[in-house]
Amino acid sequence: MAERVPVRCPACDREHAYMAPTYPCACGAPLALPVLSGGAPEQIAHKSWDESWVRLRCPDCGRTDEWPMPEFDCACGALIRLPVAGEAAQEAGSLPVGAHQAGAPPEPTGDVPPPPTDRPPFRPVTIRTGRDALTAAAQFLKWLGFGGIRLAGDRTANGIDLRGDGLVAQVDPTTQPTAARDVECLWLNCANEDAVGAFFSLAGYAHDARLRADQLGVPLFVMDLTGTPQPVNDAADDLIRTGPGGTAG
């Protein structure tokens, strides 16, 4: 299993214990992202798809693929990207210790509360398009136990992207942090339909959006390109623990 490394947020100076995700190569070998030891984390103001991938070579079979750059959402609201040794560094033999750890299953990048024992392991959907983000969020909601998950149709009517039994969800696949008005829109839909809500964002949330979500009790999740949603507030932690048994809100 990849080791946790200390990472300091460049925005608020808060220190985190970060574990790099591990991905399965096509040959079946686990490939842990080689986070550069002592590298400077970067705050992402405007997310770009082209800058969100790194080319890495599998040390077992030699296959080269593109993998999502390691990112995490700090409690201060900043989206942080970590430096990785790419293919050129691999060819030079300068990978950090622990870049390849045999036998390690894929790991989420955040501190997701442990799921109930009756849930199977979550299988993420790699995100390369906005449609993939919807699919990843839908799969996660099904994993939480919500039934009847489906696309909501024309989102211009009320902003809702996904619906389920007693659930409405919104997915923001853009490269800009989600605004407070989007969080408020989801909350209003929850109140009107007496439903549980969940918000998923690829670029994180503006500071006022996080504050508003905490006031309204709206669960916020952030997704990196691995397709594994991570909770960013207490309401999201509660939704993971309770699933459909939580209070609508």
Side-chain angles (χ1 to χ4, degrees):
M1 182 177 293
E3 295 183 357
R4 291 185 178 272
V5 295
V7 177
R8 191 171 297 278
C9 173
C12 69
D13 208 36
R14 180 176 298 160
E15 187 169 280
H16 301 263
Y18 180 81
M19 180 182 291
T22 303
Y23 304 105
C25 176
C27 72
L31 180 67
L33 294 183
V35 176
L36 285 175
S37 178
E42 173 191 5
Q43 181 178 356
I44 305 172
H46 303 286
K47 194 166 183 176
S48 164
W49 286 102
D50 292 338
E51 296 176 353
S52 297
W53 301 88
V54 61
R55 290 182 62 83
L56 294 175
R57 178 176 52 82
C58 174
D60 280 16
C61 69
R63 176 190 177 101
T64 297
D65 281 312
E66 289 189 333
W67 303 98
M69 290 284 287
E71 299 172 356
F72 71 92
D73 192 73
C74 181
C76 72
L79 182 62
I80 308 301
R81 179 177 296 150
L82 304 180
V84 172
E87 187 179 10
Q90 286 184 309
E91 296 294 343
S94 58
L95 280 179
V97 175
H100 176 63
Q101 301 286 343
E107 292 286 344
T109 58
D111 297 324
V112 176
T117 55
D118 58 347
R119 278 185 196 154
F122 176 65
R123 298 185 179 278
V125 177
T126 301
I127 298 174
R128 294 179 182 271
T129 67
R131 182 76 176 199
D132 291 339
L134 287 170
T135 301
Q139 290 296 100
F140 185 74
L141 291 169
K142 292 177 183 177
W143 178 75
L144 289 181
F146 289 97
I149 300 297
R150 61 196 183 279
L151 291 176
D154 184 8
R155 78 185 306 272
T156 58
N158 50 25
I160 296 303
D161 294 296
L162 297 170
R163 291 186 180 276
D165 298 339
L167 171 89
V168 291
Q170 195 164 335
V171 181
D172 184 357
T174 67
T175 57
Q176 299 292 329
T178 299
R181 66 177 179 275
D182 295 321
V183 172
E184 293 170 343
C185 176
L186 176 62
W187 177 81
L188 286 172
N189 279 285
C190 291
N192 289 337
E193 303 186 26
D194 192 26
V196 176
F199 208 116
F200 299 86
S201 176
L202 273 181
Y205 300 87
H207 182 64
D208 59 344
R210 293 181 61 127
L211 292 178
R212 195 68 176 132
D214 289 341
Q215 293 170 350
L216 299 174
V218 176
L220 301 182
F221 295 88
V222 67
M223 295 190 294
D224 62 16
L225 298 184
T226 67
T228 304
Q230 306 292 344
V232 297
N233 63 355
D234 290 341
D237 286 334
D238 292 340
L239 187 63
I240 289 179
R241 283 190 292 267
T242 63
T247 302

